[in-house]
Amino acid sequence: MSNCGGITVIDGSNVRGAADVSLPDHFSSAITGAQVIELAESKVTGCLPGISLPESLKLPALESVGVSDAVSFSITEFDQERALQKIKDYISAIADRLDVDPLVVSILDGSTPRLYLEDEDDFAMLAENLFTDLDVEDKGKLKKKEIQTALDQMGMEMGIPPPSELPLLNDILKKNGAEGEEEVGQAQFAYILQPILQEIVDNLSKKPVVIVHNVKVASGARIRKLLENEKQLDDVTEKIWQYQHEVSGHQQGSTKSIRTYLEKFGKELGLPSPEVDESAPLYDLAFDVATKGEIGKDEFRELVKRILDSFAQQLNANPVFFEPEE
């Protein structure tokens, strides 16, 4: 699990350790497929920060371990040895899926707004900026109910969850008088805001809110797995080699042909599209390691490997986030 500017990326490394599992003592000799799934998923969920496994993750993982019909599998009985192996296989399959398609979440535990509350000057600046932004008519006054708007404006980037994820928010606002049409100046605005933020922080520290984002991330995990598998690397190299022959007719490899292929088909390897803003320097840096001119097939394979390794290192240090395709 890596943290990138308040965003947490959950990949296979977070759950792979859950495969080191044993069966509870109370289980009988016959264990159903439903129990296998329940045990495996409970182990994985215990490794995640307060979120449930999405169906889009579970179904492909089950299919990859040979479960095409979950209903039939759930009523199938296994002895303890086979059940335990099925559990381990399913957990490993979930970890593999997370390597391919990590979850991107925000864990709102109160730590960010707490920083402002712990420093008097920082809080004063925060309250002043919020007040100024909301006082669009420059009257020097805001309605008390606009405290809610201030919290919305702080948003997840500053550790404040949306109202739908914080059921106690209305009670907190009411308790601290942040309601109604009465107008207040900047000092009173800050005076009302401070205890409200403190209560939000206290609640989040007891029960963090986890938001799963509908975004994709290129973290280099898929490329690293590819580089660890010589056969898969050979297959990819052969595809690129054949592609350049079909497109250009050249009998030698080149840096240009590799870049052309990866810009067009790199998504299959876990690369972000070059059309994503953050990707342009990523591609330029990756191809800095490239050999100039045309080369033979053996050198070509090593060149592909060096370029992919550069991508993997860059994405591991600076993951690229992008919107999923429609």
Side-chain angles (χ1 to χ4, degrees):
M1 182 159 51
S2 57
N3 190 286
C4 311
I7 298 292
T8 298
V9 178
I10 301 172
D11 59 24
S13 63
N14 294 95
V15 304
R16 208 171 294 280
D20 184 16
V21 63
S22 58
L23 293 174
D25 293 337
H26 66 272
F27 270 84
S28 63
S29 56
I31 300 170
T32 66
Q35 290 173 312
V36 165
I37 292 174
E38 182 182 358
L39 276 169
E41 292 180 359
S42 68
K43 285 290 183 182
V44 170
T45 302
C47 299
L48 302 179
I51 57 176
S52 300
L53 285 173
E55 292 297 321
S56 59
L57 177 65
K58 292 191 287 187
L59 294 178
L62 282 171
E63 289 176 359
S64 70
V65 294
V67 180
S68 56
D69 185 346
V71 175
S72 296
F73 179 79
S74 67
I75 59 176
T76 302
E77 292 190 342
F78 303 94
D79 60 36
Q80 291 199 0
E81 183 178 353
R82 288 188 64 208
L84 186 58
Q85 189 58 53
K86 289 285 185 183
I87 291 171
K88 292 180 176 181
D89 290 346
Y90 183 30
I91 292 174
S92 295
I94 291 172
D96 290 341
R97 288 299 306 174
L98 282 171
D99 279 337
V100 171
D101 191 11
L103 297 177
V104 180
V105 304
S106 289
I107 303 173
L108 309 179
D109 59 3
S111 56
T112 300
R114 184 183 293 112
L115 294 174
Y116 290 95
L117 292 170
E118 290 176 346
D119 188 294
E120 187 175 326
D121 291 337
D122 285 348
F123 175 75
M125 182 63 71
L126 170 66
E128 180 181 346
N129 290 339
L130 290 170
F131 187 92
T132 301
D133 289 345
L134 294 174
D135 185 19
V136 292
E137 297 180 4
D138 200 22
K139 297 192 306 180
K141 296 283 185 179
L142 289 176
K143 294 176 180 177
K144 285 185 174 182
K145 67 180 183 181
E146 290 184 87
I147 293 282
Q148 167 74 74
T149 308
L151 295 173
D152 293 341
Q153 189 164 307
M154 290 178 69
M156 284 189 288
E157 287 188 4
M158 299 184 71
I160 304 297
S164 60
E165 300 293 334
L166 197 61
L168 293 175
L169 181 58
N170 285 336
D171 292 338
I172 294 173
L173 292 171
K174 184 176 181 179
K175 174 184 173 182
N176 290 280
E179 294 182 311
E181 302 293 320
E182 182 183 348
E183 293 185 331
V184 296
Q186 183 179 313
Q188 193 173 0
F189 174 86
Y191 180 79
I192 297 172
L193 177 63
Q194 188 169 23
I196 290 172
L197 275 183
Q198 187 62 63
E199 286 204 46
I200 291 174
V201 166
D202 292 344
N203 277 278
L204 290 175
S205 64
K206 295 173 185 173
K207 188 178 180 180
V209 170
V210 181
I211 307 293
V212 180
H213 299 284
N214 184 30
V215 298
K216 299 296 183 182
V217 58
S219 64
R222 289 174 66 179
I223 303 175
R224 290 193 296 275
K225 287 179 72 71
L226 168 66
L227 292 171
E228 291 167 1
N229 188 310
E230 292 292 327
K231 183 180 184 306
Q232 289 184 13
L233 178 59
D234 286 342
D235 290 344
V236 168
T237 302
E238 184 64 26
K239 283 183 181 179
I240 301 174
W241 182 263
Q242 293 300 328
Y243 177 78
Q244 71 161 1
H245 289 334
E246 293 170 6
V247 172
S248 66
H250 291 170
Q251 298 304 308
Q252 297 291 306
S254 69
T255 298
K256 182 179 178 181
S257 64
I258 298 172
R259 181 158 188 162
T260 300
Y261 181 92
L262 293 181
E263 287 181 346
K264 188 170 184 179
F265 302 108
K267 188 179 76 169
E268 299 172 6
L269 307 178
L271 289 176
S273 165
E275 297 176 2
V276 176
D277 290 342
E278 294 87 347
S279 294
L282 176 76
Y283 277 77
D284 291 340
L285 285 171
F287 281 89
D288 273 349
V289 304
T291 304
K292 308 301 180 184
E294 295 187 337
I295 54 177
K297 196 167 186 180
D298 289 341
E299 291 178 281
F300 187 77
R301 182 188 186 279
E302 289 306 309
L303 179 57
V304 170
K305 185 175 181 178
R306 286 206 310 273
I307 290 170
L308 291 178
D309 184 62
S310 177
F311 272 116
Q313 290 184 44
Q314 290 187 73
L315 289 170
N316 182 60
N318 297 291
V320 174
F321 300 91
F322 54 95
E323 297 294 327
E325 295 180 356
E326 295 293 336

